[in-house]
Amino acid sequence: MVNLVRQLGQRSLNIVQEAGAMLIFLLESLGLAFMPPFRPRRVLQEIYKIGVKSTLIVMLTGAFTGMVMALQGYYTLRQYGSEGALGAAVALSLIREMGPVLTGIMVSARAGSAVTAEIGIMRITEQLDALDTMAVNPMQYVVMPKLLAGIIAVPLLTAIFDVVGILGGYLVGVILLGVSSGSYFASMKQSVVALDINGGIVKSLVFGLTIILVACYKGFYTEHGAEGVSKATNQTVVLSAVLVLAWDYVLTSFFM
Amino acid sequence: MIKIINLVKSFNGQKVLDGITLEMPRGQITVVIGKSGVGKSVLLKHIVGLLKPDSGQIIVDGQDMSRLGGRKLREFKRRFGVLFQGGALFDSLNAFENIAFPLREKTRLPEAEIAQRVRDRLAQMQLTSEVETKLPDELSGGMKKRVALARAMIQEPEIMFFDEPVTGLDPPMSNTVFHLISKTHRESGYTALVVSHDLPEVFQVADQVAMLHKGRIIAAGTPEELQNHSDPVVQSFIRGEVDFLEA
């Protein structure tokens, strides 16, 4: 029993310690964004790797999410004779919740894992040490551009997810199930307000930062060779997905 | 002159360096030998500022660099070059970009000047221009080492560090790399530290040799002095005897 309590206590301490280390890592890397040399080209390269290369998977996920929501929503709303509100239901769910959360999870699975693997391999092959010995700060050269790219790319990907999802919902609701095109968009226009869009943007900003922070941190402190990289990559996907969901609850309760 | 005084470092309670004291005379090549895992690379990483000692000093030209931080440490680092064990070439850059990297990051030289310097270094390393556009993955082990050496030397450092420079290379390529180290040292006159367990090949580049064993320097002197050293541990290592390696 005493051992169990001790282990629980130790585990809690480790979690708090790692959270603190991650926060310091974040502040240090973001602080370097304001110090020369500025690296706009590196940031653009990372936006391409994290954002542009995730576009297709985000569009596919968005399309199918919108289609499923339209299908589910149509049969539920029809029971109350409110099929005309389908556009509002699809758009609000996507903009407030599904867009930021699912985009975050897709980015974590596709780009987050890649970021950890890339930095982890740089660590175990001494590329980060090589940067350091050349008097180039690895946090500034490797981590900071990725963090900025995450903050920029994830909100844009979320917007793409929302638009494609709404079009997916239109395809199923209007073209396949016969809801009027006018009421689909009119109900959407009537129901979606600036707060919904702002909330979605704030969520996607926080998710983008969280995912890439976890990915960079886990990669930067990778140990024990190839097995360590594999473990770090796995931890990135699991931890960032859990954090996205946890942040979603916190931010939703804040915006409600 | 680099002077290491009573350097101590432990990892998880285990002492890896237990009071290392060593001098590296200016303009000479000092070789640290010792079996794998004895702490040679850890010693090198302390001198280049990648690790901080638990105690002890690393004096470079009268300044304790183990206490330096920030801008002063960065300035100090600009004075040296490091050849890492695996080369540590950047995967996403080709050979030319790897060699040009320190110049692009740390100088404001025009591209034409950078290109000229990179090509001069490639020629010095006996590499053809075809190598320039190849990614590290497309290079052989020997080519990688030579590209890495070219990168380490592109800023004409005063001090060079070589971490196991020929590990994983075949004997002819090992000799080529040692020949290149001797040649560049003759041409540039840098101070160098080589950590290696490749005996007796490493003696061909050494001005002085020190042997690291159980966290301490147990013997130091010229290559001849080491080869004739009375310590049975030193003799056993030089001869590559099995009982020593398993001890």
Side-chain angles (χ1 to χ4, degrees), chain A residues 39 125-127 129-135 141, chain B residues 45 74 77 84 88-91 101 105-106 151:
Chain A
R39 300 186 182 277
T125 56
E126 298 182 306
Q127 292 175 52
D129 288 345
L131 282 171
D132 198 310
T133 56
M134 289 176 211
Y141 186 80
Chain B
K45 284 183 177 177
R74 280 200 299 277
K77 283 177 178 175
F84 286 90
L89 295 173
F90 304 125
D91 297 328
F101 186 86
E105 280 292 322
K106 292 291 158 192
R151 185 181 69 180

mmCIF file with all atom_site columns, all heavy atoms in Angstrom, chain A residues 39 125-127 129-135 141, chain B residues 45 74 77 84 88-91 101 105-106 151:
data_model
loop_
_atom_site.group_PDB
_atom_site.id
_atom_site.type_symbol
_atom_site.label_atom_id
_atom_site.label_alt_id
_atom_site.label_comp_id
_atom_site.label_asym_id
_atom_site.label_entity_id
_atom_site.label_seq_id
_atom_site.pdbx_PDB_ins_code
_atom_site.Cartn_x
_atom_site.Cartn_y
_atom_site.Cartn_z
_atom_site.occupancy
_atom_site.B_iso_or_equiv
_atom_site.pdbx_formal_charge
_atom_site.auth_seq_id
_atom_site.auth_comp_id
_atom_site.auth_asym_id
_atom_site.auth_atom_id
_atom_site.pdbx_PDB_model_num
ATOM 1   N N   . ARG A 1 39  ? 14.281 33.886 -38.919 1.00 0.00 ? 39  ARG A N   1
ATOM 2   C CA  . ARG A 1 39  ? 14.389 32.799 -39.902 1.00 0.00 ? 39  ARG A CA  1
ATOM 3   C C   . ARG A 1 39  ? 13.084 32.621 -40.679 1.00 0.00 ? 39  ARG A C   1
ATOM 4   O O   . ARG A 1 39  ? 12.435 31.569 -40.569 1.00 0.00 ? 39  ARG A O   1
ATOM 5   C CB  . ARG A 1 39  ? 14.784 31.502 -39.198 1.00 0.00 ? 39  ARG A CB  1
ATOM 6   C CG  . ARG A 1 39  ? 16.126 31.592 -38.480 1.00 0.00 ? 39  ARG A CG  1
ATOM 7   C CD  . ARG A 1 39  ? 16.560 30.264 -37.911 1.00 0.00 ? 39  ARG A CD  1
ATOM 8   N NE  . ARG A 1 39  ? 17.817 30.385 -37.187 1.00 0.00 ? 39  ARG A NE  1
ATOM 9   C CZ  . ARG A 1 39  ? 19.010 30.362 -37.765 1.00 0.00 ? 39  ARG A CZ  1
ATOM 10  N NH1 . ARG A 1 39  ? 19.110 30.210 -39.078 1.00 0.00 ? 39  ARG A NH1 1
ATOM 11  N NH2 . ARG A 1 39  ? 20.107 30.469 -37.041 1.00 0.00 ? 39  ARG A NH2 1
ATOM 12  N N   . THR A 1 125 ? 21.633 11.267 -33.954 1.00 0.00 ? 125 THR A N   1
ATOM 13  C CA  . THR A 1 125 ? 22.752 11.276 -34.906 1.00 0.00 ? 125 THR A CA  1
ATOM 14  C C   . THR A 1 125 ? 23.664 12.501 -34.690 1.00 0.00 ? 125 THR A C   1
ATOM 15  O O   . THR A 1 125 ? 24.485 12.820 -35.548 1.00 0.00 ? 125 THR A O   1
ATOM 16  C CB  . THR A 1 125 ? 22.255 11.266 -36.364 1.00 0.00 ? 125 THR A CB  1
ATOM 17  O OG1 . THR A 1 125 ? 21.381 12.386 -36.543 1.00 0.00 ? 125 THR A OG1 1
ATOM 18  C CG2 . THR A 1 125 ? 21.528 9.978  -36.702 1.00 0.00 ? 125 THR A CG2 1
ATOM 19  N N   . GLU A 1 126 ? 23.490 13.167 -33.573 1.00 0.00 ? 126 GLU A N   1
ATOM 20  C CA  . GLU A 1 126 ? 24.338 14.293 -33.144 1.00 0.00 ? 126 GLU A CA  1
ATOM 21  C C   . GLU A 1 126 ? 24.223 15.528 -34.035 1.00 0.00 ? 126 GLU A C   1
ATOM 22  O O   . GLU A 1 126 ? 25.072 16.409 -33.975 1.00 0.00 ? 126 GLU A O   1
ATOM 23  C CB  . GLU A 1 126 ? 25.808 13.858 -33.035 1.00 0.00 ? 126 GLU A CB  1
ATOM 24  C CG  . GLU A 1 126 ? 26.038 12.757 -31.997 1.00 0.00 ? 126 GLU A CG  1
ATOM 25  C CD  . GLU A 1 126 ? 27.497 12.364 -31.861 1.00 0.00 ? 126 GLU A CD  1
ATOM 26  O OE1 . GLU A 1 126 ? 28.086 12.041 -32.898 1.00 0.00 ? 126 GLU A OE1 1
ATOM 27  O OE2 . GLU A 1 126 ? 28.027 12.371 -30.743 1.00 0.00 ? 126 GLU A OE2 1
ATOM 28  N N   . GLN A 1 127 ? 23.163 15.606 -34.847 1.00 0.00 ? 127 GLN A N   1
ATOM 29  C CA  . GLN A 1 127 ? 22.999 16.799 -35.688 1.00 0.00 ? 127 GLN A CA  1
ATOM 30  C C   . GLN A 1 127 ? 22.691 18.031 -34.828 1.00 0.00 ? 127 GLN A C   1
ATOM 31  O O   . GLN A 1 127 ? 23.106 19.143 -35.155 1.00 0.00 ? 127 GLN A O   1
ATOM 32  C CB  . GLN A 1 127 ? 21.894 16.587 -36.719 1.00 0.00 ? 127 GLN A CB  1
ATOM 33  C CG  . GLN A 1 127 ? 22.245 15.546 -37.781 1.00 0.00 ? 127 GLN A CG  1
ATOM 34  C CD  . GLN A 1 127 ? 21.090 15.265 -38.722 1.00 0.00 ? 127 GLN A CD  1
ATOM 35  O OE1 . GLN A 1 127 ? 20.504 16.154 -39.299 1.00 0.00 ? 127 GLN A OE1 1
ATOM 36  N NE2 . GLN A 1 127 ? 20.754 13.997 -38.863 1.00 0.00 ? 127 GLN A NE2 1
ATOM 37  N N   . ASP A 1 129 ? 23.764 18.435 -31.759 1.00 0.00 ? 129 ASP A N   1
ATOM 38  C CA  . ASP A 1 129 ? 25.062 18.788 -31.145 1.00 0.00 ? 129 ASP A CA  1
ATOM 39  C C   . ASP A 1 129 ? 25.932 19.532 -32.152 1.00 0.00 ? 129 ASP A C   1
ATOM 40  O O   . ASP A 1 129 ? 26.642 20.477 -31.790 1.00 0.00 ? 129 ASP A O   1
ATOM 41  C CB  . ASP A 1 129 ? 25.795 17.523 -30.682 1.00 0.00 ? 129 ASP A CB  1
ATOM 42  C CG  . ASP A 1 129 ? 25.146 16.894 -29.459 1.00 0.00 ? 129 ASP A CG  1
ATOM 43  O OD1 . ASP A 1 129 ? 24.328 17.575 -28.812 1.00 0.00 ? 129 ASP A OD1 1
ATOM 44  O OD2 . ASP A 1 129 ? 25.454 15.732 -29.148 1.00 0.00 ? 129 ASP A OD2 1
ATOM 45  N N   . ALA A 1 130 ? 25.869 19.093 -33.413 1.00 0.00 ? 130 ALA A N   1
ATOM 46  C CA  . ALA A 1 130 ? 26.681 19.749 -34.453 1.00 0.00 ? 130 ALA A CA  1
ATOM 47  C C   . ALA A 1 130 ? 26.262 21.214 -34.593 1.00 0.00 ? 130 ALA A C   1
ATOM 48  O O   . ALA A 1 130 ? 27.118 22.103 -34.689 1.00 0.00 ? 130 ALA A O   1
ATOM 49  C CB  . ALA A 1 130 ? 26.530 19.021 -35.782 1.00 0.00 ? 130 ALA A CB  1
ATOM 50  N N   . LEU A 1 131 ? 24.952 21.470 -34.577 1.00 0.00 ? 131 LEU A N   1
ATOM 51  C CA  . LEU A 1 131 ? 24.480 22.862 -34.648 1.00 0.00 ? 131 LEU A CA  1
ATOM 52  C C   . LEU A 1 131 ? 25.047 23.657 -33.482 1.00 0.00 ? 131 LEU A C   1
ATOM 53  O O   . LEU A 1 131 ? 25.556 24.764 -33.658 1.00 0.00 ? 131 LEU A O   1
ATOM 54  C CB  . LEU A 1 131 ? 22.949 22.897 -34.581 1.00 0.00 ? 131 LEU A CB  1
ATOM 55  C CG  . LEU A 1 131 ? 22.185 22.551 -35.849 1.00 0.00 ? 131 LEU A CG  1
ATOM 56  C CD1 . LEU A 1 131 ? 20.704 22.413 -35.540 1.00 0.00 ? 131 LEU A CD1 1
ATOM 57  C CD2 . LEU A 1 131 ? 22.376 23.627 -36.913 1.00 0.00 ? 131 LEU A CD2 1
ATOM 58  N N   . ASP A 1 132 ? 24.948 23.066 -32.299 1.00 0.00 ? 132 ASP A N   1
ATOM 59  C CA  . ASP A 1 132 ? 25.424 23.737 -31.091 1.00 0.00 ? 132 ASP A CA  1
ATOM 60  C C   . ASP A 1 132 ? 26.906 24.085 -31.200 1.00 0.00 ? 132 ASP A C   1
ATOM 61  O O   . ASP A 1 132 ? 27.317 25.211 -30.879 1.00 0.00 ? 132 ASP A O   1
ATOM 62  C CB  . ASP A 1 132 ? 25.169 22.804 -29.892 1.00 0.00 ? 132 ASP A CB  1
ATOM 63  C CG  . ASP A 1 132 ? 25.217 23.542 -28.585 1.00 0.00 ? 132 ASP A CG  1
ATOM 64  O OD1 . ASP A 1 132 ? 26.195 24.269 -28.374 1.00 0.00 ? 132 ASP A OD1 1
ATOM 65  O OD2 . ASP A 1 132 ? 24.299 23.391 -27.764 1.00 0.00 ? 132 ASP A OD2 1
ATOM 66  N N   . THR A 1 133 ? 27.711 23.124 -31.685 1.00 0.00 ? 133 THR A N   1
ATOM 67  C CA  . THR A 1 133 ? 29.153 23.400 -31.763 1.00 0.00 ? 133 THR A CA  1
ATOM 68  C C   . THR A 1 133 ? 29.489 24.428 -32.845 1.00 0.00 ? 133 THR A C   1
ATOM 69  O O   . THR A 1 133 ? 30.577 24.988 -32.847 1.00 0.00 ? 133 THR A O   1
ATOM 70  C CB  . THR A 1 133 ? 29.970 22.118 -32.040 1.00 0.00 ? 133 THR A CB  1
ATOM 71  O OG1 . THR A 1 133 ? 29.487 21.521 -33.238 1.00 0.00 ? 133 THR A OG1 1
ATOM 72  C CG2 . THR A 1 133 ? 29.873 21.132 -30.902 1.00 0.00 ? 133 THR A CG2 1
ATOM 73  N N   . MET A 1 134 ? 28.542 24.648 -33.780 1.00 0.00 ? 134 MET A N   1
ATOM 74  C CA  . MET A 1 134 ? 28.766 25.698 -34.787 1.00 0.00 ? 134 MET A CA  1
ATOM 75  C C   . MET A 1 134 ? 28.234 27.041 -34.299 1.00 0.00 ? 134 MET A C   1
ATOM 76  O O   . MET A 1 134 ? 28.071 27.977 -35.081 1.00 0.00 ? 134 MET A O   1
ATOM 77  C CB  . MET A 1 134 ? 28.046 25.333 -36.083 1.00 0.00 ? 134 MET A CB  1
ATOM 78  C CG  . MET A 1 134 ? 28.649 24.189 -36.842 1.00 0.00 ? 134 MET A CG  1
ATOM 79  S SD  . MET A 1 134 ? 27.598 23.858 -38.264 1.00 0.00 ? 134 MET A SD  1
ATOM 80  C CE  . MET A 1 134 ? 27.854 22.127 -38.441 1.00 0.00 ? 134 MET A CE  1
ATOM 81  N N   . ALA A 1 135 ? 27.892 27.098 -32.999 1.00 0.00 ? 135 ALA A N   1
ATOM 82  C CA  . ALA A 1 135 ? 27.341 28.312 -32.387 1.00 0.00 ? 135 ALA A CA  1
ATOM 83  C C   . ALA A 1 135 ? 25.991 28.690 -32.980 1.00 0.00 ? 135 ALA A C   1
ATOM 84  O O   . ALA A 1 135 ? 25.617 29.858 -33.012 1.00 0.00 ? 135 ALA A O   1
ATOM 85  C CB  . ALA A 1 135 ? 28.335 29.473 -32.478 1.00 0.00 ? 135 ALA A CB  1
ATOM 86  N N   . TYR A 1 141 ? 17.055 27.304 -34.460 1.00 0.00 ? 141 TYR A N   1
ATOM 87  C CA  . TYR A 1 141 ? 17.115 26.829 -35.847 1.00 0.00 ? 141 TYR A CA  1
ATOM 88  C C   . TYR A 1 141 ? 16.078 25.746 -36.125 1.00 0.00 ? 141 TYR A C   1
ATOM 89  O O   . TYR A 1 141 ? 15.477 25.712 -37.184 1.00 0.00 ? 141 TYR A O   1
ATOM 90  C CB  . TYR A 1 141 ? 18.526 26.292 -36.150 1.00 0.00 ? 141 TYR A CB  1
ATOM 91  C CG  . TYR A 1 141 ? 18.720 25.926 -37.597 1.00 0.00 ? 141 TYR A CG  1
ATOM 92  C CD1 . TYR A 1 141 ? 18.986 26.917 -38.540 1.00 0.00 ? 141 TYR A CD1 1
ATOM 93  C CD2 . TYR A 1 141 ? 18.619 24.611 -38.027 1.00 0.00 ? 141 TYR A CD2 1
ATOM 94  C CE1 . TYR A 1 141 ? 19.153 26.590 -39.869 1.00 0.00 ? 141 TYR A CE1 1
ATOM 95  C CE2 . TYR A 1 141 ? 18.777 24.279 -39.355 1.00 0.00 ? 141 TYR A CE2 1
ATOM 96  C CZ  . TYR A 1 141 ? 19.051 25.276 -40.278 1.00 0.00 ? 141 TYR A CZ  1
ATOM 97  O OH  . TYR A 1 141 ? 19.203 24.945 -41.608 1.00 0.00 ? 141 TYR A OH  1
ATOM 98  N N   . LYS B 2 45  ? 32.956 16.077 -25.237 1.00 0.00 ? 45  LYS B N   1
ATOM 99  C CA  . LYS B 2 45  ? 31.748 16.912 -25.185 1.00 0.00 ? 45  LYS B CA  1
ATOM 100 C C   . LYS B 2 45  ? 31.836 17.992 -24.110 1.00 0.00 ? 45  LYS B C   1
ATOM 101 O O   . LYS B 2 45  ? 31.202 19.038 -24.238 1.00 0.00 ? 45  LYS B O   1
ATOM 102 C CB  . LYS B 2 45  ? 30.513 16.032 -24.968 1.00 0.00 ? 45  LYS B CB  1
ATOM 103 C CG  . LYS B 2 45  ? 30.108 15.311 -26.249 1.00 0.00 ? 45  LYS B CG  1
ATOM 104 C CD  . LYS B 2 45  ? 28.869 14.483 -26.109 1.00 0.00 ? 45  LYS B CD  1
ATOM 105 C CE  . LYS B 2 45  ? 28.534 13.880 -27.476 1.00 0.00 ? 45  LYS B CE  1
ATOM 106 N NZ  . LYS B 2 45  ? 27.389 12.989 -27.436 1.00 0.00 ? 45  LYS B NZ  1
ATOM 107 N N   . ARG B 2 74  ? 29.252 31.253 -27.256 1.00 0.00 ? 74  ARG B N   1
ATOM 108 C CA  . ARG B 2 74  ? 29.057 31.187 -28.722 1.00 0.00 ? 74  ARG B CA  1
ATOM 109 C C   . ARG B 2 74  ? 30.295 31.706 -29.452 1.00 0.00 ? 74  ARG B C   1
ATOM 110 O O   . ARG B 2 74  ? 30.729 31.134 -30.442 1.00 0.00 ? 74  ARG B O   1
ATOM 111 C CB  . ARG B 2 74  ? 27.820 31.996 -29.134 1.00 0.00 ? 74  ARG B CB  1
ATOM 112 C CG  . ARG B 2 74  ? 26.512 31.250 -28.906 1.00 0.00 ? 74  ARG B CG  1
ATOM 113 C CD  . ARG B 2 74  ? 25.395 31.847 -29.740 1.00 0.00 ? 74  ARG B CD  1
ATOM 114 N NE  . ARG B 2 74  ? 25.136 33.237 -29.415 1.00 0.00 ? 74  ARG B NE  1
ATOM 115 C CZ  . ARG B 2 74  ? 24.374 33.643 -28.397 1.00 0.00 ? 74  ARG B CZ  1
ATOM 116 N NH1 . ARG B 2 74  ? 23.804 32.764 -27.599 1.00 0.00 ? 74  ARG B NH1 1
ATOM 117 N NH2 . ARG B 2 74  ? 24.165 34.928 -28.162 1.00 0.00 ? 74  ARG B NH2 1
ATOM 118 N N   . LYS B 2 77  ? 32.922 29.132 -29.303 1.00 0.00 ? 77  LYS B N   1
ATOM 119 C CA  . LYS B 2 77  ? 32.652 27.999 -30.203 1.00 0.00 ? 77  LYS B CA  1
ATOM 120 C C   . LYS B 2 77  ? 33.034 28.301 -31.648 1.00 0.00 ? 77  LYS B C   1
ATOM 121 O O   . LYS B 2 77  ? 33.288 27.382 -32.424 1.00 0.00 ? 77  LYS B O   1
ATOM 122 C CB  . LYS B 2 77  ? 31.174 27.611 -30.123 1.00 0.00 ? 77  LYS B CB  1
ATOM 123 C CG  . LYS B 2 77  ? 30.853 26.824 -28.863 1.00 0.00 ? 77  LYS B CG  1
ATOM 124 C CD  . LYS B 2 77  ? 29.384 26.517 -28.762 1.00 0.00 ? 77  LYS B CD  1
ATOM 125 C CE  . LYS B 2 77  ? 29.119 25.679 -27.515 1.00 0.00 ? 77  LYS B CE  1
ATOM 126 N NZ  . LYS B 2 77  ? 27.687 25.453 -27.290 1.00 0.00 ? 77  LYS B NZ  1
ATOM 127 N N   . PHE B 2 84  ? 32.234 14.828 -35.800 1.00 0.00 ? 84  PHE B N   1
ATOM 128 C CA  . PHE B 2 84  ? 31.514 13.870 -34.952 1.00 0.00 ? 84  PHE B CA  1
ATOM 129 C C   . PHE B 2 84  ? 31.699 12.444 -35.456 1.00 0.00 ? 84  PHE B C   1
ATOM 130 O O   . PHE B 2 84  ? 31.984 12.220 -36.638 1.00 0.00 ? 84  PHE B O   1
ATOM 131 C CB  . PHE B 2 84  ? 30.019 14.226 -34.914 1.00 0.00 ? 84  PHE B CB  1
ATOM 132 C CG  . PHE B 2 84  ? 29.732 15.427 -34.064 1.00 0.00 ? 84  PHE B CG  1
ATOM 133 C CD1 . PHE B 2 84  ? 29.749 16.701 -34.606 1.00 0.00 ? 84  PHE B CD1 1
ATOM 134 C CD2 . PHE B 2 84  ? 29.463 15.286 -32.717 1.00 0.00 ? 84  PHE B CD2 1
ATOM 135 C CE1 . PHE B 2 84  ? 29.500 17.812 -33.835 1.00 0.00 ? 84  PHE B CE1 1
ATOM 136 C CE2 . PHE B 2 84  ? 29.217 16.401 -31.921 1.00 0.00 ? 84  PHE B CE2 1
ATOM 137 C CZ  . PHE B 2 84  ? 29.235 17.659 -32.476 1.00 0.00 ? 84  PHE B CZ  1
ATOM 138 N N   . ALA B 2 88  ? 27.456 13.519 -38.426 1.00 0.00 ? 88  ALA B N   1
ATOM 139 C CA  . ALA B 2 88  ? 26.414 14.486 -38.038 1.00 0.00 ? 88  ALA B CA  1
ATOM 140 C C   . ALA B 2 88  ? 26.078 15.464 -39.162 1.00 0.00 ? 88  ALA B C   1
ATOM 141 O O   . ALA B 2 88  ? 25.819 16.645 -38.916 1.00 0.00 ? 88  ALA B O   1
ATOM 142 C CB  . ALA B 2 88  ? 26.806 15.233 -36.753 1.00 0.00 ? 88  ALA B CB  1
ATOM 143 N N   . LEU B 2 89  ? 26.084 14.949 -40.402 1.00 0.00 ? 89  LEU B N   1
ATOM 144 C CA  . LEU B 2 89  ? 25.676 15.810 -41.526 1.00 0.00 ? 89  LEU B CA  1
ATOM 145 C C   . LEU B 2 89  ? 24.163 16.012 -41.468 1.00 0.00 ? 89  LEU B C   1
ATOM 146 O O   . LEU B 2 89  ? 23.436 15.095 -41.064 1.00 0.00 ? 89  LEU B O   1
ATOM 147 C CB  . LEU B 2 89  ? 26.065 15.160 -42.854 1.00 0.00 ? 89  LEU B CB  1
ATOM 148 C CG  . LEU B 2 89  ? 27.568 15.006 -43.099 1.00 0.00 ? 89  LEU B CG  1
ATOM 149 C CD1 . LEU B 2 89  ? 27.827 14.202 -44.368 1.00 0.00 ? 89  LEU B CD1 1
ATOM 150 C CD2 . LEU B 2 89  ? 28.241 16.370 -43.203 1.00 0.00 ? 89  LEU B CD2 1
ATOM 151 N N   . PHE B 2 90  ? 23.707 17.175 -41.883 1.00 0.00 ? 90  PHE B N   1
ATOM 152 C CA  . PHE B 2 90  ? 22.264 17.446 -41.853 1.00 0.00 ? 90  PHE B CA  1
ATOM 153 C C   . PHE B 2 90  ? 21.582 16.697 -43.002 1.00 0.00 ? 90  PHE B C   1
ATOM 154 O O   . PHE B 2 90  ? 21.901 16.917 -44.176 1.00 0.00 ? 90  PHE B O   1
ATOM 155 C CB  . PHE B 2 90  ? 21.999 18.944 -41.929 1.00 0.00 ? 90  PHE B CB  1
ATOM 156 C CG  . PHE B 2 90  ? 22.695 19.717 -40.834 1.00 0.00 ? 90  PHE B CG  1
ATOM 157 C CD1 . PHE B 2 90  ? 23.537 20.770 -41.115 1.00 0.00 ? 90  PHE B CD1 1
ATOM 158 C CD2 . PHE B 2 90  ? 22.526 19.335 -39.507 1.00 0.00 ? 90  PHE B CD2 1
ATOM 159 C CE1 . PHE B 2 90  ? 24.198 21.451 -40.097 1.00 0.00 ? 90  PHE B CE1 1
ATOM 160 C CE2 . PHE B 2 90  ? 23.189 20.014 -38.482 1.00 0.00 ? 90  PHE B CE2 1
ATOM 161 C CZ  . PHE B 2 90  ? 24.023 21.062 -38.788 1.00 0.00 ? 90  PHE B CZ  1
ATOM 162 N N   . ASP B 2 91  ? 20.619 15.839 -42.621 1.00 0.00 ? 91  ASP B N   1
ATOM 163 C CA  . ASP B 2 91  ? 19.956 14.963 -43.597 1.00 0.00 ? 91  ASP B CA  1
ATOM 164 C C   . ASP B 2 91  ? 19.305 15.718 -44.749 1.00 0.00 ? 91  ASP B C   1
ATOM 165 O O   . ASP B 2 91  ? 19.251 15.233 -45.863 1.00 0.00 ? 91  ASP B O   1
ATOM 166 C CB  . ASP B 2 91  ? 18.830 14.162 -42.908 1.00 0.00 ? 91  ASP B CB  1
ATOM 167 C CG  . ASP B 2 91  ? 19.371 13.243 -41.855 1.00 0.00 ? 91  ASP B CG  1
ATOM 168 O OD1 . ASP B 2 91  ? 20.499 12.760 -42.030 1.00 0.00 ? 91  ASP B OD1 1
ATOM 169 O OD2 . ASP B 2 91  ? 18.662 13.015 -40.852 1.00 0.00 ? 91  ASP B OD2 1
ATOM 170 N N   . PHE B 2 101 ? 27.144 25.464 -44.760 1.00 0.00 ? 101 PHE B N   1
ATOM 171 C CA  . PHE B 2 101 ? 26.265 25.857 -43.652 1.00 0.00 ? 101 PHE B CA  1
ATOM 172 C C   . PHE B 2 101 ? 26.905 26.820 -42.641 1.00 0.00 ? 101 PHE B C   1
ATOM 173 O O   . PHE B 2 101 ? 26.336 27.887 -42.364 1.00 0.00 ? 101 PHE B O   1
ATOM 174 C CB  . PHE B 2 101 ? 25.734 24.593 -42.952 1.00 0.00 ? 101 PHE B CB  1
ATOM 175 C CG  . PHE B 2 101 ? 24.711 24.871 -41.896 1.00 0.00 ? 101 PHE B CG  1
ATOM 176 C CD1 . PHE B 2 101 ? 23.372 24.992 -42.221 1.00 0.00 ? 101 PHE B CD1 1
ATOM 177 C CD2 . PHE B 2 101 ? 25.084 25.037 -40.569 1.00 0.00 ? 101 PHE B CD2 1
ATOM 178 C CE1 . PHE B 2 101 ? 22.428 25.261 -41.245 1.00 0.00 ? 101 PHE B CE1 1
ATOM 179 C CE2 . PHE B 2 101 ? 24.146 25.308 -39.591 1.00 0.00 ? 101 PHE B CE2 1
ATOM 180 C CZ  . PHE B 2 101 ? 22.820 25.416 -39.928 1.00 0.00 ? 101 PHE B CZ  1
ATOM 181 N N   . GLU B 2 105 ? 25.662 30.671 -42.057 1.00 0.00 ? 105 GLU B N   1
ATOM 182 C CA  . GLU B 2 105 ? 25.072 31.028 -40.765 1.00 0.00 ? 105 GLU B CA  1
ATOM 183 C C   . GLU B 2 105 ? 25.881 32.103 -40.048 1.00 0.00 ? 105 GLU B C   1
ATOM 184 O O   . GLU B 2 105 ? 25.317 32.947 -39.372 1.00 0.00 ? 105 GLU B O   1
ATOM 185 C CB  . GLU B 2 105 ? 24.993 29.792 -39.863 1.00 0.00 ? 105 GLU B CB  1
ATOM 186 C CG  . GLU B 2 105 ? 23.812 28.889 -40.159 1.00 0.00 ? 105 GLU B CG  1
ATOM 187 C CD  . GLU B 2 105 ? 22.479 29.531 -39.810 1.00 0.00 ? 105 GLU B CD  1
ATOM 188 O OE1 . GLU B 2 105 ? 22.391 30.231 -38.793 1.00 0.00 ? 105 GLU B OE1 1
ATOM 189 O OE2 . GLU B 2 105 ? 21.517 29.340 -40.580 1.00 0.00 ? 105 GLU B OE2 1
ATOM 190 N N   . LYS B 2 106 ? 27.192 32.030 -40.174 1.00 0.00 ? 106 LYS B N   1
ATOM 191 C CA  . LYS B 2 106 ? 28.034 32.841 -39.294 1.00 0.00 ? 106 LYS B CA  1
ATOM 192 C C   . LYS B 2 106 ? 28.843 33.927 -39.989 1.00 0.00 ? 106 LYS B C   1
ATOM 193 O O   . LYS B 2 106 ? 29.591 34.639 -39.337 1.00 0.00 ? 106 LYS B O   1
ATOM 194 C CB  . LYS B 2 106 ? 28.998 31.917 -38.518 1.00 0.00 ? 106 LYS B CB  1
ATOM 195 C CG  . LYS B 2 106 ? 28.279 31.026 -37.522 1.00 0.00 ? 106 LYS B CG  1
ATOM 196 C CD  . LYS B 2 106 ? 27.721 31.855 -36.387 1.00 0.00 ? 106 LYS B CD  1
ATOM 197 C CE  . LYS B 2 106 ? 26.589 31.152 -35.665 1.00 0.00 ? 106 LYS B CE  1
ATOM 198 N NZ  . LYS B 2 106 ? 25.859 32.031 -34.759 1.00 0.00 ? 106 LYS B NZ  1
ATOM 199 N N   . ARG B 2 151 ? 33.305 20.317 -43.607 1.00 0.00 ? 151 ARG B N   1
ATOM 200 C CA  . ARG B 2 151 ? 32.406 21.258 -42.912 1.00 0.00 ? 151 ARG B CA  1
ATOM 201 C C   . ARG B 2 151 ? 33.046 21.766 -41.622 1.00 0.00 ? 151 ARG B C   1
ATOM 202 O O   . ARG B 2 151 ? 32.985 22.961 -41.315 1.00 0.00 ? 151 ARG B O   1
ATOM 203 C CB  . ARG B 2 151 ? 31.069 20.577 -42.605 1.00 0.00 ? 151 ARG B CB  1
ATOM 204 C CG  . ARG B 2 151 ? 30.055 21.515 -41.990 1.00 0.00 ? 151 ARG B CG  1
ATOM 205 C CD  . ARG B 2 151 ? 28.740 20.826 -41.677 1.00 0.00 ? 151 ARG B CD  1
ATOM 206 N NE  . ARG B 2 151 ? 28.876 19.871 -40.574 1.00 0.00 ? 151 ARG B NE  1
ATOM 207 C CZ  . ARG B 2 151 ? 27.869 19.126 -40.108 1.00 0.00 ? 151 ARG B CZ  1
ATOM 208 N NH1 . ARG B 2 151 ? 26.676 19.201 -40.682 1.00 0.00 ? 151 ARG B NH1 1
ATOM 209 N NH2 . ARG B 2 151 ? 28.062 18.294 -39.115 1.00 0.00 ? 151 ARG B NH2 1
#
